[in-house]
Amino acid sequence: MRNILDVVRTSHETLRKSERKVADLVLADPQRVLGATLADTAAEAGVSQPTVIRFCNALGCAGYQDFRLRLAHGLALGTPATHSVLLPTDPPASVVEKIFDYTITSLDWARRNLDPQAMEAAIALLETARSIEFFGFGASGIVARDAQQKFPLFGVPCGAQLDSHQQIMSASVMREGDVAVVISNTGRTRSLIEIADVAREGGAKVIAITGSRNALTARCDIALVVETLENTNVYTPTISRIAALVVIDILSTAVALRRSEGAADRFDLMKRRLNNLRLTDE
């Protein structure tokens, strides 16, 4: 997929006069457009909102949101002169810079597009849960394990089964008061969709952590859509996993902050005991 800023530049002369106003705005200040709503962009360019939509369609985008996603992707990769695509010939210093830049930009994009109301609802559900089970495969399985080891912050028993048979067993015994957190960036893994169905059948609530609206979100009570910049480059790190780990940190910390002083004291005692297991500075 070509950098969308390249597409805007090369398509400029073929656009309608009103659409070129949008193109000029994008090329002059792409970061500003990235954080703007459709109405904001139309007002800044001095055109109508339908004109902005036509501009996006003329570039091959499926609407304004798709254009913003590709714009964020383009900015993460850098300008055409300094394309931040990882190359086999890159020295270590370039690899460090490119991966940090790409990761930071992707996390910022995920933050901008995360639904705060869905996050609040998920935190409230986890706060009152009797027990929590985390489900995921592959990179999402790593996120599930990370969530499970944060159980002191959640304050209730937490599990994370990565074997499909164990997952079905765990989901089958979940009941009202339990919460299942199903993690899948694509939301198309059949067994995880089945897990969501099984957990809800037993009366448990289901939270999805996923990359888009998909088959999984349709089967969940709360969907946390953690949208990241798509990149199929073989060398690129798994941005979706990093973003999902951040969301787990947010959920566990927010739940811990809502718990009683007694819970905070017990957590502090646990941390001090862990410190006793480590070597001193001496």
Side-chain angles (χ1 to χ4, degrees):
M1 185 181 294
R2 289 177 63 198
N3 188 323
I4 195 65
L5 292 171
D6 276 344
V7 178
V8 174
R9 286 187 183 90
T10 57
S11 303
H12 192 276
E13 295 306 314
T14 64
L15 297 172
R16 298 176 182 176
K17 185 177 180 180
S18 58
E19 294 168 358
R20 286 201 293 271
K21 293 181 179 179
V22 185
D24 291 339
L25 176 65
V26 171
L27 294 174
D29 195 351
Q31 285 287 357
R32 186 171 184 176
V33 175
L34 180 62
T37 64
L38 173 61
D40 291 338
T41 298
E44 288 284 339
V47 299
S48 67
Q49 293 185 32
T51 296
V52 177
I53 297 296
R54 285 195 298 271
F55 162 78
C56 297
N57 293 337
L59 301 180
C61 299
Y64 184 66
Q65 187 64 12
D66 183 42
F67 169 74
R68 286 178 66 235
L69 179 60
R70 288 187 60 185
L71 178 60
H73 191 187
L75 291 172
L77 294 176
T79 59
T82 57
H83 235 227
S84 295
V85 174
L86 288 163
L87 303 172
T89 55
D90 280 342
S94 294
V95 174
V96 169
E97 183 176 356
K98 289 181 179 181
I99 289 183
F100 265 107
D101 285 348
Y102 187 80
T103 301
I104 291 167
T105 304
S106 295
L107 288 177
D108 188 53
W109 174 264
R111 179 184 63 176
R112 289 169 181 267
N113 289 277
L114 197 59
D115 183 349
Q117 292 182 334
M119 285 294 293
E120 178 65 33
I123 291 164
L125 197 58
L126 292 167
E127 181 189 4
T128 59
R130 183 181 65 180
S131 68
I132 307 170
E133 286 287 336
F134 299 93
F135 301 94
F137 286 119
S140 296
I142 295 171
V143 177
R145 282 294 194 195
D146 180 73
Q148 189 273 333
Q149 69 92 27
K150 288 184 170 61
F151 75 93
L153 288 170
F154 288 109
V156 295
C158 296
Q161 304 297 333
L162 305 186
D163 176 85
S164 59
H165 291 186
Q166 292 291 333
Q167 287 181 341
I168 284 291
M169 291 168 63
S170 296
S172 296
V173 299
M174 297 187 79
R175 294 293 179 263
E176 186 175 349
D178 299 328
V179 176
V181 181
V182 184
I183 307 162
S184 172
N185 186 54
T186 65
R188 297 196 302 268
T189 304
R190 290 189 180 92
S191 58
L192 290 177
I193 292 172
E194 183 181 1
I195 289 295
D197 289 337
V198 169
R200 292 189 77 189
E201 284 174 10
K205 296 295 185 181
V206 179
I207 299 171
I209 298 178
T210 186
S212 62
R213 294 284 170 182
N214 47 49
L216 176 61
T217 60
R219 289 167 163 83
C220 296
D221 298 286
I222 300 171
L224 300 179
V225 178
V226 190
E227 190 178 72
T228 52
L229 304 180
E230 184 69 19
N231 193 332
T232 57
N233 187 301
V234 68
Y235 301 111
T236 301
T238 311
I239 298 299
S240 61
R241 181 185 68 223
I242 298 170
L245 286 168
V246 173
V247 168
I248 291 295
D249 276 339
I250 294 168
L251 293 174
S252 59
T253 303
V255 169
L257 289 172
R258 293 188 177 194
R259 296 203 173 274
S260 66
E261 260 187 53
D265 290 340
R266 290 193 296 275
F267 184 71
D268 182 63
L269 176 61
M270 179 201 71
K271 296 286 283 186
R272 284 187 278 113
R273 284 174 173 167
L274 282 175
N275 284 333
N276 290 337
L277 299 177
R278 301 184 177 102
L279 292 173
T280 63
D281 291 338
E282 295 176 1

